[in-house]
Amino acid sequence: IELLRNDPSLEKDCLSRALVAATKCDSQSNVGRLIVKGAANISEALQLAQREGKTKAFATLLLTTAAINDDVDLVRRLFGEIVLGPSDEICDAQKAVTEGYISTFIPLQMACLRQNKSVAEELLLRTDVYQSEETVYWHGLGLSAIESTLLSKIQWVKTLQLGCNKLNVIPTEISLYLQQVGQ
């Protein structure tokens, strides 16, 4: 945690070793933070997490890999849109994701950083979206833009929280899609 808070000069393989340690501890938050910080041995950590049954780390690594590689199909598989067979290697990871144990914040951050709009949109639609309550809480996600295609998918929303983002402009089409949102 100290490694992630400060910006010390690090040994060459420090972040990689820390990612392995975070994976062994099954710490999804530290796995995500280390990837954002620059740990590059994601495939090694993925293999380790799968081999040792570190479900939260494995799910986080898969979701982050999907965000980095712009792999919408993997995101959909992890969220249960694509039905998996009983022997599928990511069943446990899918369960962790669909039951809400895995945060979409880091994968969303990585997708936005790499401008992988399709994955970013898919992740946003699964981040604090409560259709039954007609609310969407995208507060503090660091978003720099909202695409009109995304707005068209949440036409039902009455409460849309976008505070503490990096939005420079709200799309002019917002009034076409969102008729019920208050000020």
Side-chain angles (χ1 to χ4, degrees), residues 6 21 134:
N6 301 324
E134 299 177 319

Side-chain angles (χ1 to χ4, degrees), residues 33-48:
R33 289 180 190 139
L34 285 161
I35 291 170
V36 168
K37 190 83 169 176
N41 58 328
I42 297 171
S43 59
E44 175 191 357
L46 256 171
Q47 291 171 1
L48 174 68

Side-chain angles (χ1 to χ4, degrees), residues 120-135:
E121 183 175 298
E122 198 68 37
L123 289 167
L124 271 172
L125 289 172
R126 298 166 190 300
T127 303
D128 296 329
V129 173
Y130 307 100
Q131 190 166 358
S132 63
E133 298 170 19
E134 299 177 319
T135 59

Side-chain angles (χ1 to χ4, degrees), residues 20-110:
V20 168
T23 300
K24 285 182 177 182
C25 292
D26 205 18
S27 173
Q28 70 148 332
S29 59
N30 286 339
V31 163
R33 289 180 190 139
L34 285 161
I35 291 170
V36 168
K37 190 83 169 176
N41 58 328
I42 297 171
S43 59
E44 175 191 357
L46 256 171
Q47 291 171 1
L48 174 68
Q50 185 178 20
R51 186 174 60 246
E52 294 192 8
K54 305 299 183 182
T55 307
K56 291 177 186 173
F58 186 55
T60 300
L61 288 159
L62 281 173
L63 206 51
T64 304
T65 299
I68 290 169
N69 296 331
D70 203 20
D71 188 345
V72 176
D73 288 338
L74 180 54
V75 172
R76 289 181 180 147
R77 284 181 71 198
L78 287 166
F79 278 98
E81 276 191 23
I82 299 172
V83 179
L84 303 175
S87 64
D88 195 301
E89 63 186 19
I90 67 167
C91 275
D92 288 338
Q94 183 187 57
K95 185 177 178 182
V97 170
T98 58
E99 291 180 359
Y101 297 120
I102 305 303
S103 171
T104 56
F105 182 74
I106 297 294
L108 180 59
Q109 187 177 0
M110 297 306 285

Side-chain angles (χ1 to χ4, degrees), residues 11-21 34 38-41 44-45:
E11 293 178 28
K12 184 178 179 182
D13 66 341
C14 184
L15 290 176
S16 297
R17 288 182 301 157
L19 182 57
V20 168
L34 285 161
N41 58 328
E44 175 191 357

